Amino acid sequence: MAHSLVTVVGAGNVGASVAQRVAEAGLADVVLVDIVEGLPQGKALDLAEAAPVVGHDMKIMGTNDYADTAGSDVIVVTSGLPRTPGMSRDDLLAKNAGIVRSVVQQAAAHSPDAILIIVTNPLDAMCHVALEASAFSPERVIGMAGVLDSARFRSFIAQELGVSVTSTHAFVLGGHGDTMVPLPRFSTAGGVPITELLDQERIDALVTRTRNGGAEVVALLKSGSAFYAPAASVARMVDSILNDRNEILPCAAYLQGEYGVDGLFVGVPVKLGRTGITQVVEIDLQDDERAAFDQSAAAVRELVEAMSRMSAAG
Ligand SMILES: NC(=O)c1ccc[n+]([C@@H]2O[C@H](COP(=O)([O-])OP(=O)(O)OC[C@H]3O[C@@H](n4cnc5c(N)ncnc54)[C@H](O)[C@@H]3O)[C@@H](O)[C@H]2O)c1
């Protein structure tokens, strides 16, 4: 049987790690694309040379030409610039919006039936750019954030309780960033809500650490940001899509009335299968959770509006 094909745009830390995980898990052949000549080719060659040791037969190629990505089943977009000293958030927003627009237009033209997974930050705003640039239907444009955020929450819960991470489940809603909404009453160890297992003070500390999860890694690394857990999170989404698992995973999805939000990408639980998002799973929120979710959605809307103003201003 022919292998599936995954294109990963951006051969930096996240992109190369996604390529490695996807190939080594035997999920698909991989094409790695970057604007820098030699970088995707070199990383792809190195990854291909690991294949005999790891024992997989997935093909991995690196390229600067989107023609090589034709017929991809999934396109993962990790290309972008990091924020550098002196660069404002708006500058970064404008620069990465330009990069995401250009790569999505090129990749989507060669793979009109693909599912897009967006990783580049600011995540929720970049999903809007990708939706517009691809002209794909919304269920085929998905942002990766919630799988990572809930993985961070799960790892902190497991450490706190001294249990296996595999016994934990965590639930995180909202935008990717300071306003994300971890939901303790749906976060469990062995099926038991952590609200039954930990006092409020401990739970608050875990929630705060989850919200600051990205910044905690950045502060330690000094340059660059997290990539192992982000890449693992993308690979999990790719697995659910290519194997049509319909796993319920928290992802940034284009809401059209669900959770009372219309026309905005926000993190919610979705079923992920071969056609992309097959269902947005809605749950009833308590008043405090609803307020936090609304605040998070408002922060995403503000970013999207800032982006529209920038593009209107040229
Ligand atoms: N959504 C999340 O949860 C999450 C998690 C981690 C990182 N991120 C984001 O993912 C992005 C990538 O992070 P990273 O650590 O891999 O960064 P990185 O700097 O290591 O890699 C980015 C790559 O993009 C490439 N690139 C830039 N412009 C391009 C273009 N026009 N076409 C093709 N490639 C281009 C660069 O050459 C570089 O190789 C960042 O925006 C980061 O903030 C998001």
Side-chain angles (χ1 to χ4, degrees):
M1 202 171 77
H3 297 162
S4 297
L5 182 61
V6 171
T7 283
V8 181
V9 186
N13 281 337
V14 176
S17 305
V18 169
Q20 179 179 12
R21 285 197 181 267
V22 167
E24 293 188 353
L27 290 173
D29 293 337
V30 178
V31 179
L32 197 52
V33 192
D34 203 283
I35 198 164
V36 178
E37 277 179 35
L39 181 73
Q41 290 87 345
K43 290 197 177 178
L45 179 61
D46 195 8
L47 283 168
E49 289 168 354
V53 186
V54 178
H56 71 81
D57 283 302
M58 298 299 127
K59 295 195 172 44
I60 307 168
M61 81 168 291
T63 184
N64 308 108
D65 181 353
Y66 284 88
D68 294 323
T69 69
S72 295
D73 298 286
V74 175
I75 300 162
V76 180
V77 177
T78 76
S79 51
L81 299 179
R83 194 161 151 204
T84 45
M87 188 193 259
S88 73
R89 262 179 206 278
D90 279 359
D91 287 344
L92 180 71
L93 184 64
K95 288 226 157 48
N96 280 353
I99 290 171
V100 169
R101 184 170 298 116
S102 141
V103 306
V104 166
Q105 274 167 353
Q106 296 176 77
H110 287 92
S111 301
D113 300 321
I115 313 275
L116 273 167
I117 298 178
I118 308 303
V119 183
T120 307
N121 276 320
L123 192 268
D124 309 278
M126 292 307 114
C127 290
H128 279 268
V129 173
L131 179 70
E132 201 183 285
S134 64
F136 284 3
S137 53
E139 71 275 7
R140 289 200 286 133
V141 181
I142 310 159
M144 188 291 288
V147 177
L148 171 63
D149 296 331
S150 60
R152 286 180 171 146
F153 198 14
R154 285 178 65 188
S155 69
F156 302 148
I157 291 168
Q159 278 170 28
E160 180 70 27
L161 292 172
V163 301
S164 164
V165 289
T166 59
S167 296
T168 63
H169 179 81
F171 206 107
V172 176
L173 286 175
H176 185 49
D178 308 342
T179 61
M180 77 173 79
V181 188
L183 293 187
R185 77 188 167 103
F186 292 119
S187 301
T188 59
V192 182
I194 59 167
T195 45
E196 304 284 320
L197 300 169
L198 293 167
D199 62 34
Q200 194 57 47
E201 201 181 322
R202 292 312 305 153
I203 292 174
D204 289 347
L206 300 186
V207 164
T208 301
R209 193 170 176 202
T210 301
R211 280 212 185 97
N212 298 333
E216 186 179 355
V217 175
V218 168
L220 289 165
L221 291 178
K222 312 280 189 303
S223 78
S225 54
F227 55 98
Y228 292 117
S233 304
V234 172
R236 179 78 177 266
M237 292 167 66
V238 170
D239 181 19
S240 191
I241 291 167
L242 292 180
N243 291 313
D244 201 24
R245 290 193 195 283
N246 277 305
E247 268 200 273
I248 297 179
L249 296 171
C251 299
Y254 189 73
L255 299 184
Q256 298 170 90
E258 300 92 344
Y259 288 90
V261 174
D262 200 20
L264 202 64
F265 276 90
V266 189
V268 291
V270 298
K271 274 194 206 165
L272 272 194
R274 195 64 192 78
T275 54
I277 293 174
T278 54
Q279 190 192 335
V280 172
V281 179
E282 284 195 83
I283 52 160
D284 280 334
L285 298 178
Q286 292 175 352
D287 289 350
D288 55 333
E289 296 164 348
R290 159 62 53 192
F293 180 83
D294 289 348
Q295 196 191 345
S296 187
V300 176
R301 197 175 287 285
E302 213 171 282
L303 212 54
V304 172
E305 284 170 2
M307 206 165 56
S308 315
R309 278 197 302 277
M310 274 186 268
S311 57

